[in-house]
Amino acid sequence: MAGVIQTTVRRSMPASLLLRVRHRSPGLANGLVGGALAAGLGLAAFTVLVMLLWVSSPYPDSGPGGALHVAAALWLLAHGAELVRVDTLSGAPAPMGVPPLLLAVVPVWLLHRAARDTAEGGARDNAPLMPGRTAWAGVVLGYLAVAAPAALYAAGGALRPSWAWTALCVPLIALVAAGTGVWTAYGRPSGPLEQVLGAVLPRGARHLVLGPDGRPGVAARAAAAGATVLVAGGAVLLTVSLGWHFGETRRTFGRLTEGWSGWLAVLLLCVTLLPNAAVWAAAYALGPGFLLGAGVAVTPLGARAAPLLPPFPLLAAVPDPGAGTALHGTVVALPLTAGVVVGWFVGRGSVTGGGRFGVWTTGRTAGAAAFAAGLCGVLMALLAGLAGGPLGTAALARFGPVWWQVGLATAVWLGLTAAATALTVRAWRLRRSYRRGERRADRVVAPRRRPALPRPPQRERLPRGTWFKRKRGRSAPAPAPVAADEPYLLLDDDGDDRAHGAPDDLRDLRDLRDGTDPFGLRPRPEPMGDLPTASPPAAPGDTEPRPPT
C-alpha cells in the first residue's frame, strides 16, 4: 500500500524537473522560438528574392544550389559580415565588404519585433511582462542557433563569409536589435540609457542627451535632425547628378546585361545601394569626399580618374575627372543648411525651459550647439563606416568615404554654423517674449546671490543593477467597483491600513480604555471637580511625603 501511495502521490524526478523549468522560465522557450523564427523569415525573404532572379535569368551560371548559397551569403552580408570571392580571374580570393544598408533593415526589424513580442508574451494590459533578461537571451540564442548553420552552408558557395567578421557582426546585430525590442516592450525606460551615459559623458552634458522625462535631450534631437538633413541632402545631390548624367546612366544598363530580367536585377541592386550612395554624396558635400579605390579620391576640389571602375549606373553619378568648378562648390550649402537646423533646435531649447532657471546663458547655448555638432559627427562617422568597404585587393581595397574624416568634417562645419544660429535664435525668441516698453532680459542686472528656489521633485529612477522595468499599470490590479448607494465610512476596516503601520483592534481598545487617542491626539481633560488636591512642595532635604492640605 505504501508503494501505491508513493507512485500515485509523488511525481517522478524527470517530470518534476520539467515542470519546474516550464514554470520558472516561461520566456526562454518563447524567446528561442521567436529568435529562430526571425532568422528563418530573414533567410526565407532573401531566398525568395534570389530564386526569383535566378529563375527569370536567361543565362544562369549555376544550379539551384548555387542560388541558395548566394542567398545565405547575402543574408550574412546584410548583417555587416564581409564576404570573400574565391572564383576570381587571378585565382586569389578577393574580399567584398560593402553591405547594402537597405538590406540591413530586414534582419534588424525582424529581431526587434521578435524580442518585443517575446517580452510582452501576448499579454494584456494588466498582465505582467516576461523577465527582460530571459526574453533577450532567448531571442539572441535562438537567432544565433539558425545563423551558425547558415554560415556553414554559405561557406560552400562562391561567396564565402569571413569567419572573423561573421563572428563579430552577427552576434552584435542580434544583441543590439533584440535589446531595443525588449526595451520597447518595457515602455522605453531611461535606466539603461542613464547607466550608459553615466559611464561615457560628464555630468554636465548628460541632460543634453537624455531629458529628465526619459526622452531625448536637446542635443540628441538636434544631432538626429542634422544627420537626417545631411543624408536627405545627399540623396537630392545623387538624384541631380544622375539626371545630369542621364545618358551615361542609361547606357550602363545595356553594358551590364541584356533582357528585362537582367535589367530588373541591376535595378534592384541599385535600389538596395541607394542609402549607401546618399551617404557618399553627403561625404562629398562635407569636403572629405569618398574613395573609388586606393588613392583615388573624389572631392569638390577635384576628382581623379579611376580606370578600373565597372559600368555601374550609380557610378555614373560620379563627377567627371578634373579640377572642381564653382558648380561643384555649391554643395557646401548642404552642411550649412544642416548647421542651421542644428542651431535652430538648440536655440529653441535654450529658451523653452531647458536650463535650471528657464533660459540658458549665451555660453551654455554655444556649448550645447557644439556638443550637438559633435554628436552629429559621431552619427555620420558611423554611417560612413557602414556605407563603405573593400571590393577586392590592391587598388580595389577601399571604396567609400573615410569614417573619421567624415566625422571630423561634420563636427567642424556644423559646430561653427550651429553656434551662431543658436545664439541668433535665442536672442530673437527672447526679444519676442518681452512686450514693448519692458527692459530686455540681457539688460536686467542679475542678483549677486541666487534665489532660494524650491528643488523640483526627483524623478523615480531604476536601481543600478536593473536594465528593464515593467510598464506601470500592468502588474497593478484594477480597482474594485463601488456601488453608488454604498456609504463610505472613515473607520471602516481597510486591508492596506495594517501594511502602513495602523494599530490592530486590540491595541485600539486598549488605547481608548487608557484615555489615549490612537490617532495621536491629546486626551480630553476631566472636569475640575474630579481633580486631586495639590500637595505643598517639599522642603529641601525632606524625604517623607507630606499630607495634602
Side-chain angles (χ1 to χ4, degrees), residues 79 97 134 153 285 342 354 394 400 419 428 473 524:
H79 292 79
T134 304
Y153 179 76
V342 171
W428 178 65
R524 181 181 298 178

Side-chain angles (χ1 to χ4, degrees), residues 49-131:
L49 178 61
V50 173
M51 292 301 292
L52 285 177
L53 295 177
W54 177 78
V55 170
S56 60
S57 177
Y59 307 107
D61 58 350
S62 61
L68 293 178
H69 283 93
V70 171
L74 288 180
W75 182 74
L76 294 174
L77 181 64
H79 292 79
E82 189 176 285
L83 302 180
V84 178
R85 293 185 293 114
V86 294
D87 54 346
T88 58
L89 296 178
S90 61
M96 188 180 69
V98 181
L101 295 181
L102 191 61
L103 294 181
V105 177
V106 178
V108 171
W109 181 75
L110 290 174
L111 272 168
H112 179 85
R113 286 294 303 270
R116 190 192 67 182
D117 296 343
T118 301
E120 292 179 350
R124 298 180 180 178
D125 294 338
N126 295 329
L129 295 173
M130 290 185 180

